[in-house]
Amino acid sequence: MTTLESETAALERFYGDVAAAGLQPLWTQTRDLMTPTPRGGTRGHRWPWHTLSALAHRSGDLIPIERGGERRVLALANPGLGGLPFATSTLWAAVQFLGPHETAPAHRHSPGAVRFVLQGEGVWTAVDGDPCPMSPGDLVLTPGGTWHEHHNPGDDTMIWFDGLDLPMVAALDAVFFETREDEAPNTAAPDRSPGEALHGHPGLRPDGVPAPAGHSPLSVYRRAHTDAALTDLLALRAAEPSVGVTFTDPATGRDVLPTLRCRMERLRPGARTATTRTAGSSVRVAFSGHGTTTVDGVRFAWGPGDMITVPSWAAVDHRADDAGPADVFVLSDAPVLEALRLDRHVVVDPQA
């Protein structure tokens, strides 16, 4: 046996012994682990509203809601994540359908969730006993560990966007889930959430009412307030192609949930935003208007209800059609990256 053959045989035995011991040599995979820029599996992808809505309604005809089924939900499965029911590697997103006179039974789980209402009226949800009506454009919170149930006492259907931090919580082996047998009666939607009456006044914090630790005390953020804020911002910042607002905890000014950032953007008619790269992924849900989003050179046209994923560090820009402004709800994992000091944002093309 030559010296080269002897060394080759020794290396093969060594690597075999390393694998048998449950070890892996770093020097064979540094390029895959320590990449120059993020290189996850998440892809930019679009789910059109006409498909989401049609399949959601079909699920309403075919799939009953009852204990065991819990929710009638269709999760966005990003084509780059190998069949996992995740929109991005950190975000879970879906459409949920509730038919006339149905109740989604009470449960709670450690992952935190938000609901952004897309279609329908008359549904209300209870979050730890705080009942609040839901309408299109409203943002409803169900923080991790809170009991929540959904009621539709009316004759119309409702569809909303669900966003959860489930992939993050699952990666930490911290998913817990419980059901509860008792639930509120499926009566007419309340006029107003008690939590909204307490905490929904800008700049004012009620005396003698401690805010919950770690998340916003508000269960619902109303479309009317969001619309008014965006209208004023767009008028004040006439030179900017878009404006945005971040939903925050009124007691602390922090994000509504510790793991999820919720924003609403308004794009000016015909204007294009700068091309940027941001560490961390997001899901964009068009609420009104039409436009295009370009992700790493791939152009996605969108309209109301369409959903688009933006991977971490993708080069991305947005443009509203000339016909009018466009509002887009954005869910991201930004609070986690900022807490871990992993956040990064650069402008690639400042010429909008």
Side-chain angles (χ1 to χ4, degrees):
M1 180 179 293
T2 65
T3 301
L4 179 59
E5 289 172 337
S6 177
E7 290 178 353
T8 300
L11 276 173
E12 289 177 352
R13 288 195 301 271
F14 170 73
Y15 284 125
D17 291 342
V18 167
L23 303 170
Q24 292 190 20
L26 176 62
W27 57 85
T28 65
Q29 51 191 295
T30 300
R31 291 182 180 179
D32 294 327
L33 293 175
M34 298 293 186
T35 57
T37 57
R39 199 180 296 169
T42 302
R43 297 182 193 171
H45 191 75
R46 169 180 167 263
W47 289 263
W49 172 248
H50 64 83
T51 300
L52 295 170
S53 176
L55 292 174
H57 279 89
R58 285 174 63 187
S59 76
D61 295 333
L62 298 170
I63 311 299
I65 286 186
E66 56 189 11
R67 182 60 75 197
E70 299 296 339
R71 303 291 190 263
R72 193 184 289 110
V73 171
L74 297 173
L76 309 188
N78 192 286
L81 297 179
L84 291 171
F86 299 157
T88 78
S89 57
T90 59
L91 300 172
W92 191 92
V95 287
Q96 183 166 165
F97 180 92
L98 195 63
H101 310 288
E102 289 185 332
T103 293
H107 68 209
R108 65 179 178 180
H109 38 70
S110 50
V114 302
R115 330 281 175 193
F116 183 73
V117 183
L118 296 171
Q119 184 183 82
E121 292 280 359
V123 170
W124 60 279
T125 190
V127 182
D128 269 352
D130 181 15
C132 64
M134 302 165 65
S135 294
D138 290 349
L139 174 68
V140 180
L141 308 182
T142 51
T146 58
W147 293 104
H148 52 281
E149 59 201 84
H150 312 302
H151 298 265
N152 186 356
D155 297 326
D156 296 327
T157 61
M158 178 175 275
I159 301 177
W160 63 83
F161 166 83
D162 277 340
L164 281 78
D165 56 12
L166 176 58
M168 288 185 270
V169 178
L172 296 169
D173 285 338
V175 175
F176 295 88
F177 178 86
E178 297 177 73
T179 61
R180 193 180 68 192
E181 295 306 320
D182 63 303
E183 57 194 32
N186 191 6
T187 58
D191 292 333
R192 195 181 192 192
S193 155
E196 186 181 2
L198 280 173
H199 302 285
H201 304 286
L204 301 174
R205 185 169 63 189
D207 292 342
V209 182
H215 63 80
S216 172
L218 269 176
S219 294
V220 60
Y221 293 73
R222 296 295 178 196
R223 167 64 185 172
H225 299 156
T226 309
D227 179 59
L230 291 171
T231 298
D232 288 344
L233 273 176
L234 205 65
L236 288 170
R237 300 177 181 176
E240 297 184 14
S242 69
V243 296
V245 293
T246 299
F247 298 92
T248 60
D249 180 334
T252 65
R254 299 188 182 117
D255 286 287
V256 290
L257 297 179
T259 53
L260 297 173
R261 176 159 298 163
C262 298
R263 299 181 60 252
M264 199 79 186
E265 296 177 0
R266 178 164 292 172
L267 304 170
R268 195 180 297 278
R272 182 178 73 85
T273 68
T275 303
T276 60
R277 294 184 186 270
T278 301
S281 60
S282 61
V283 180
R284 301 178 62 84
V285 182
F287 180 68
S288 64
H290 294 78
T292 58
T293 290
T294 303
V295 181
D296 281 339
V298 180
R299 182 176 173 272
F300 300 100
W302 45 260
D306 290 355
M307 302 179 187
I308 294 174
T309 48
V310 177
S312 181
W313 212 242
V316 60
D317 64 70
H318 316 285
R319 183 186 184 279
D321 286 356
D322 295 336
D327 285 5
V328 180
F329 175 74
V330 185
L331 179 75
S332 78
D333 50 18
V336 175
L337 276 83
E338 291 174 2
L340 298 175
R341 299 187 178 180
L342 296 173
D343 54 306
R344 184 177 297 196
H345 178 85
V346 298
V347 176
V348 179
D349 172 18
Q351 302 302 318

